[in-house]
Amino acid sequence: MDNSLTIIVPVYNEEENLLRVEEKLNEYILSCRINCKILMVNDGSSDNSEKLMEDICKRNSNFSFISFEKNCGLSAAIKAGFDHSTTNLTGYIDSDLQTDPFDFDLLLEEIDTCDLVNGYRHERKDSGIKNLSSLIANTVRNWFTHDGMDDTGCPLKIIRTDYAKRIPMFKGLHRFLPAMILLQGGRIKQVPIRHYPRLAGTAKFGLRNRLVKPLMDCFGYLWMKKNYINYRVYKKS
């Protein structure tokens, strides 16, 4: 089967970035070697994001959007993207564009032998406190998951959609996507990508939801790992 890609773009109060999202992702669509479309997920934005998304979709046939009634969080936005993806590959990029859409090509080079390819921001352009908190969080998470990923929170990923749709999402699980693919018996890999400072808008995650909440989520993941149902049908009438 020929590959095709849906790129999920979660949006929460990102009106200052959305025109740049339109421009950059349109550039990538034109250069992408496979069929590619964009699905923006409005996570209950209270600014002008929804109106901008409506206008973007009217101008661009490869763009579509869905909107939540209220803010539900990043994991919910990603799950909604998985649920509504109709292509065999599903990607994910943040609307702040601190990662480069053209680096999806680096991930696509590996996806034929993997079920998830995770970006790795090896030269992050964030503040020292933000970088340190992410390093600590990734290290602790690795103690629990043993997935070998250095940057599970990286907002640039490609997943085989049939695997993505089987992930039993809960709040915070967007940080555990590689581990959840491993629970399904899938293959994962990380690839170094570029990273840029945020140019507009404000970050949605602080010290508490980078350290305290992720640590609590690790215990939720352990419970899920112990009780996870994974079966494969090898014969049927």
Side-chain angles (χ1 to χ4, degrees), residues 3-9 25-26 28-30 32 34-40 60-65 81 84-93 104 161:
N3 286 330
S4 54
L5 174 65
T6 297
I7 297 176
I8 303 167
V9 186
L25 287 176
N26 258 327
Y28 179 67
I29 289 171
L30 292 174
C32 188
I34 64 174
N35 182 48
C36 180
K37 53 187 179 180
I38 312 302
L39 173 59
M40 297 178 290
N60 303 278
S61 60
N62 287 321
F63 283 68
S64 61
F65 81 93
H84 288 81
S85 177
T86 57
T87 54
N88 70 314
L89 299 176
T90 301
Y92 155 51
I93 189 170
F104 275 120
T161 304

Side-chain angles (χ1 to χ4, degrees), residues 72-73 75-76 169-175 213 217:
C72 296
S75 291
M169 296 289 284
F170 59 77
K171 289 183 179 180
L173 200 66
H174 63 274
R175 304 181 183 94
K213 178 64 166 57
D217 291 340

Side-chain angles (χ1 to χ4, degrees), residues 10-19 40-57 65-67 95 204:
V11 175
Y12 177 58
N13 292 344
E14 292 285 0
E15 62 181 0
E16 298 175 59
N17 282 309
L18 284 176
L19 294 182
M40 297 178 290
V41 181
N42 177 26
D43 183 19
S45 295
S46 57
D47 63 359
N48 198 41
S49 292
E50 183 173 293
K51 177 61 168 62
L52 286 171
M53 285 189 288
E54 290 176 351
D55 293 342
I56 289 170
C57 292
F65 81 93
I66 56 177
S67 279
S95 49
K204 308 305 186 291

Side-chain angles (χ1 to χ4, degrees), residues 45 65 74 78 84 111 142 154 166 171 176 182 201 235:
S45 295
F65 81 93
L74 181 56
I78 292 174
H84 288 81
I111 197 62
N142 236 319
C154 177
R166 291 195 296 265
K171 289 183 179 180
F176 295 84
L182 289 179
K235 185 186 292 186

Side-chain angles (χ1 to χ4, degrees), residues 28-234:
Y28 179 67
I29 289 171
L30 292 174
S31 72
C32 188
R33 58 183 174 85
I34 64 174
N35 182 48
C36 180
K37 53 187 179 180
I38 312 302
L39 173 59
M40 297 178 290
V41 181
N42 177 26
D43 183 19
S45 295
S46 57
D47 63 359
N48 198 41
S49 292
E50 183 173 293
K51 177 61 168 62
L52 286 171
M53 285 189 288
E54 290 176 351
D55 293 342
I56 289 170
C57 292
K58 288 177 183 177
R59 292 192 293 265
N60 303 278
S61 60
N62 287 321
F63 283 68
S64 61
F65 81 93
I66 56 177
S67 279
F68 292 167
E69 290 182 339
K70 61 180 181 179
N71 177 244
C72 296
L74 181 56
S75 291
I78 292 174
K79 173 173 170 47
F82 290 164
D83 291 344
H84 288 81
S85 177
T86 57
T87 54
N88 70 314
L89 299 176
T90 301
Y92 155 51
I93 189 170
D94 273 353
S95 49
D96 59 18
L97 289 183
Q98 287 191 254
T99 52
D100 193 326
F102 283 85
D103 283 348
F104 275 120
D105 288 344
L106 301 176
L107 278 56
L108 286 171
E109 290 176 6
E110 307 294 339
I111 197 62
D112 286 342
T113 58
C114 296
D115 302 299
L116 175 146
V117 185
N118 197 89
Y120 165 43
R121 298 166 290 184
H122 64 296
E123 293 183 354
R124 292 188 63 168
K125 306 301 182 183
D126 290 322
S127 67
I129 292 177
K130 191 173 180 180
N131 287 340
L132 179 60
S133 63
S134 292
L135 175 62
I136 294 171
N138 278 301
T139 301
V140 171
R141 199 154 41 237
N142 236 319
W143 292 344
F144 284 83
T145 64
H146 304 289
D147 60 16
M149 296 286 106
D150 296 305
D151 190 9
T152 59
C154 177
L156 198 78
K157 294 176 171 65
I158 291 180
I159 311 175
R160 293 197 175 277
T161 304
D162 56 341
Y163 279 81
K165 289 181 181 292
R166 291 195 296 265
I167 296 174
M169 296 289 284
F170 59 77
K171 289 183 179 180
L173 200 66
H174 63 274
R175 304 181 183 94
F176 295 84
L177 294 179
M180 295 307 299
I181 300 302
L182 289 179
L183 285 186
Q184 297 183 43
R187 302 155 297 176
I188 64 175
K189 186 171 185 176
Q190 64 180 1
V191 174
I193 62 164
R194 293 169 288 184
H195 189 245
Y196 304 94
R198 177 184 267 272
L199 297 182
T202 56
K204 308 305 186 291
F205 291 92
L207 194 60
R208 182 182 182 279
N209 51 22
R210 287 183 180 277
L211 291 177
V212 180
K213 178 64 166 57
L215 178 60
M216 297 169 60
D217 291 340
C218 284
F219 292 99
Y221 166 78
L222 284 185
W223 179 91
M224 180 175 289
K225 182 178 181 180
K226 181 180 179 180
N227 295 280
Y228 186 72
I229 296 173
N230 187 31
Y231 66 88
R232 293 181 183 272
V233 174
Y234 80 97

